[in-house]
Amino acid sequence: MSEVSLVDHDELGPIVVVRRGDDVRAWRNLCPHQWLPLTYRSRNILSADGLRLRCSNHGAEFSADDGRPLGDALPCGLEPVPACVDHEGRVVAPNPG
């Protein structure tokens, strides 16, 4: 089962994290089409099947596996953020540079 959460990142601001056990994927919480947070109107952005993230502003959908645009979304996807699960089970997203 997939779950989504928001994590504050020191340099990038809020990031969206999709976690399936120890597998995590993370992106900046910014729609590449409108530059508003995906969660601007609703924090419920993960599809019921856990496969898609949906922008709460205009409905564009992105793959929860790699952030690529789906369907009729413009050709730009979500900006990835490196993330992993540490030895204590916490999601860690190191600062770039």
Side-chain angles (χ1 to χ4, degrees):
M1 172 166 247
S2 299
E3 57 186 66
V4 69
S5 59
L6 294 176
V7 175
D8 284 324
H9 191 278
D10 292 339
E11 293 185 24
L12 301 175
I15 60 173
V16 173
V17 176
V18 174
R19 183 172 181 171
R20 295 180 188 113
D22 285 341
D23 182 37
V24 295
R25 303 279 193 267
W27 300 272
R28 288 187 74 188
N29 186 19
L30 283 176
C31 178
H33 309 126
Q34 297 191 346
W35 294 104
L36 290 169
L38 295 170
T39 56
Y40 186 73
R41 294 185 182 191
S42 172
R43 293 177 70 95
N44 186 18
I45 61 170
L46 185 65
S47 63
D49 60 9
L51 299 177
R52 298 176 314 280
L53 295 168
R54 183 181 174 129
C55 175
S56 66
N57 300 297
H58 68 107
E61 292 188 324
F62 305 90
S63 168
D65 286 328
D66 59 15
R68 77 185 186 295
L70 300 173
D72 294 332
L74 296 175
C76 41
L78 300 176
E79 183 180 340
V81 174
C84 62
V85 176
D86 71 9
H87 66 281
E88 296 179 13
R90 297 174 300 192
V91 174
V92 176
N95 286 323

